[in-house]
Amino acid sequence: MFDAGTTCLVVVGAQWGDEGKGKLVDVLAERADVVVRYQGGANAGHTVVIGDSQFILRQIPSGILHPGVVCVVGNGVVLEPETFFAELDHLAQRQVDTTGRIFVSDRAHLVLPYHKLLDAASEKSQKLGTTGRGIGPAYEDKYGRRGIRVTDLRRLECARALLAAGVERANRLLELMGSSERASFEEHAALLERLAPRLVPLAADAGLLVHRAVREGRRVLLEGAQGSLLDVDHGTYPYVTSSNTTAGGAAVGAGIGPTLIHGVLGVVKAYTTRVGNGPLPTEAPSPFGEQLRQLGGEFGAVTGRPRRCGWFDATVVRYAARVNGLTGLAVTKLDVLDTFDEIPVCTAYALGADRCEEMPAEVELLGHVRPQYEVLPGWRRPTGSARRLADLPAEARAYLDRLQALSGVPARYVSVGTRRDQIIEVEG
Ligand code: GDP
């Protein structure tokens, strides 16, 4: 999607996450100069397959796998430093040279072990299906204006003072929540002292870096984590993540003005999945849900949790198109549908006697809607070797046409397998 006038692109998930953003960013990064992660924490794992190797990246942008691409962890991300460095070390072991091309916003907030203790304790009382990695509590601290930022590590005395208050507050909350766990100030202080010499040299004014890159006409990708329906404002609240996953969050979380963004690519699976709790209107009945899960390998990249699987839901994608201002779709995992005789697609919902074309704000209502299905014929042939639309069976092309018509957004990419080369770029 990069061309002369389109050099700054956002890549968002347009469903409930796990849409295959990692692969898309990896493919697009081949032509990018800079890749920025703009929100989320180490709870979201992108999976990228290169040859026989699989890389799972939680904190580091997927662009890192392309030599020469500069990668930035934006201010909107909450950084779990140990995971970040473990990932860097893992990349180094596998001969991916990251020297001089990874930067972390000095305004990004840190996720510390006490955030994980709080996450585990609160998940016991309010089951939201979080990954328990402390992301929610770290964002709470950010918005409560008591967070610890990367820049604080430049002055360790200042960080220690913030830490003392953070640990004390966490322990009070843990006691209130009935947890027997307690955070230790000394352990946290030792952790920061150990991390600072490694993290501070990577700290940068990331917004400035990204702004300059766009202004100079370099190609910049802003990479989101999770999906639009998990956005804290626009998702299926309260079963959402703690940040703005949608395209508006890209400007804020990368530290640039929205007018610098030229296009928004929405990644959607050719069907629907979600992990964790909350309604999934098009959840497929047995045996189809299980077939989709097995064929699509629908198990969490970080947690291994089985994902709930269902049919493509155009209500969801139309909504995502609107709240993100999508300019193109990337449809992934078309190959997973290769063996189905018939493929239902949800065109709208019915609620009582009414037809409902939009996403209701109340999550309870979403639990009661009845999906209205249109059943399309399957193609019952492998699609993994298609490299042009014309290589696809007619039924698969008709299926894609229908998804685009129902979503109101043109498809720019169709992915037909896990490998880098298994992609169709649709002529503009
Ligand atoms: P992300 O967080 O959106 O990047 O999603 P995941 O990391 O969960 O990626 C989805 C999974 O689907 C990964 O294992 C990918 O290798 C795989 N994948 C991506 N695109 C395709 C595709 O077109 N077909 C198949 N079969 N698998 C794909």
Side-chain angles (χ1 to χ4, degrees):
M1 270 178 63
F2 283 127
D3 59 38
T6 311
T7 57
C8 182
L9 275 182
V10 182
V11 178
V12 289
Q15 293 160 322
W16 274 282
D18 312 311
E19 297 92 347
K21 296 175 293 297
K23 170 171 170 179
L24 250 292
V25 172
D26 177 60
V27 167
L28 287 168
E30 180 147 40
R31 283 170 254 169
D33 300 301
V34 181
V35 180
V36 188
R37 240 315 268 282
Y38 65 80
Q39 48 71 231
N43 48 350
H46 290 318
T47 314
V48 181
V49 179
I50 301 174
D52 294 331
S53 301
Q54 175 171 292
F55 294 83
I56 295 181
L57 297 166
R58 298 170 190 184
Q59 288 268 233
I60 296 180
S62 322
I64 202 72
L65 301 171
H66 287 275
V69 172
V70 170
C71 287
V72 179
V73 176
N75 58 276
V77 169
V78 288
L79 184 83
E80 193 188 288
E82 288 194 300
T83 303
F84 175 76
F85 286 120
E87 247 165 52
L88 271 187
D89 293 342
H90 190 63
L91 287 167
Q93 277 162 19
R94 296 172 79 176
Q95 275 72 51
V96 179
D97 185 8
T98 59
T99 321
R101 60 188 189 94
I102 177 111
F103 299 94
V104 178
S105 169
D106 51 12
R107 290 162 171 85
H109 283 246
L110 297 178
V111 184
L112 296 169
Y114 62 75
H115 292 123
K116 289 187 199 167
L117 297 179
L118 289 171
D119 210 355
S122 77
E123 183 68 15
K124 277 196 182 135
S125 55
Q126 190 194 13
K127 287 211 169 8
L128 295 174
T130 80
T131 49
R133 304 194 66 106
I135 314 297
Y139 276 112
E140 283 176 36
D141 278 355
K142 168 176 173 169
Y143 292 108
R145 290 160 292 179
R146 53 179 175 264
I148 304 181
R149 300 188 299 167
V150 170
T151 191
D152 296 320
L153 297 187
R154 289 172 169 146
R155 291 170 298 132
L156 270 177
E157 270 323 292
C158 156
R160 279 176 74 90
L162 288 167
L163 195 58
V167 168
E168 199 215 308
R169 184 173 180 281
N171 284 338
R172 263 189 285 123
L173 285 175
L174 287 166
E175 190 176 354
L176 264 177
M177 288 192 278
S179 165
S180 57
E181 300 276 7
R182 293 295 176 266
S184 144
F185 171 76
E186 288 313 325
E187 277 173 33
H188 278 77
L191 175 71
L192 290 194
E193 267 159 43
R194 190 158 44 79
L195 291 169
R198 219 179 155 191
L199 193 51
V200 169
L202 305 181
D205 184 342
L208 179 64
L209 194 155
V210 180
H211 178 92
R212 282 192 178 144
V214 181
R215 281 278 187 235
E216 287 161 9
R218 296 168 73 204
R219 292 172 165 194
V220 177
L221 274 181
L222 308 178
E223 165 187 344
Q226 293 112 3
S228 300
L229 274 290
L230 295 174
D231 183 285
V232 66
D233 282 86
H234 302 295
T236 43
Y237 194 89
Y239 302 104
V240 292
T241 195
S242 312
S243 55
N244 286 114
T245 57
T246 46
V252 178
I256 56 169
T259 48
L260 290 192
I261 295 172
H262 304 128
V264 184
L265 185 69
V267 186
V268 292
K269 277 179 194 167
Y271 50 98
T272 310
T273 63
R274 91 170 283 179
V275 72
N277 300 338
L280 176 61
T282 61
E283 191 154 17
S286 185
F288 303 113
E290 186 56 30
Q291 280 172 14
L292 286 169
R293 187 173 309 120
Q294 293 302 335
L295 291 165
E298 297 296 353
F299 299 90
V302 175
T303 58
R305 283 191 286 187
R307 296 179 185 143
R308 295 154 64 198
C309 298
W311 308 117
F312 187 86
D313 187 340
T315 319
V316 163
V317 180
R318 264 197 310 270
Y319 176 70
R322 173 161 64 81
V323 296
N324 287 293
L326 295 185
T327 55
L329 284 183
V331 181
T332 63
K333 296 195 148 185
L334 187 71
D335 54 298
V336 172
L337 300 178
D338 283 353
T339 52
F340 288 84
D341 292 333
E342 291 184 322
I343 312 170
V345 171
C346 168
T347 55
Y349 302 142
L351 189 56
D354 299 326
R355 188 175 161 90
C356 172
E357 302 258 357
E358 298 294 336
M359 291 294 291
E362 298 95 314
V363 78
E364 291 74 21
L365 286 185
L366 198 60
H368 291 121
V369 297
R370 296 188 313 283
Q372 304 298 293
Y373 287 113
E374 191 175 296
V375 179
L376 301 184
W379 42 94
R380 289 174 295 172
R381 270 196 284 151
T383 53
S385 55
R387 296 294 174 268
R388 298 169 307 148
L389 278 184
D391 299 336
L392 290 173
E395 294 86 349
R397 288 204 304 274
Y399 183 76
L400 288 171
D401 286 345
R402 196 65 190 124
L403 301 197
Q404 296 175 76
L406 288 167
S407 317
V409 187
R412 305 300 303 268
Y413 295 91
V414 180
S415 174
V416 291
T418 53
R419 293 199 322 264
R420 261 183 188 170
D421 65 307
Q422 289 181 300
I423 193 132
I424 298 171
E425 189 167 347
V426 181
E427 296 297 322

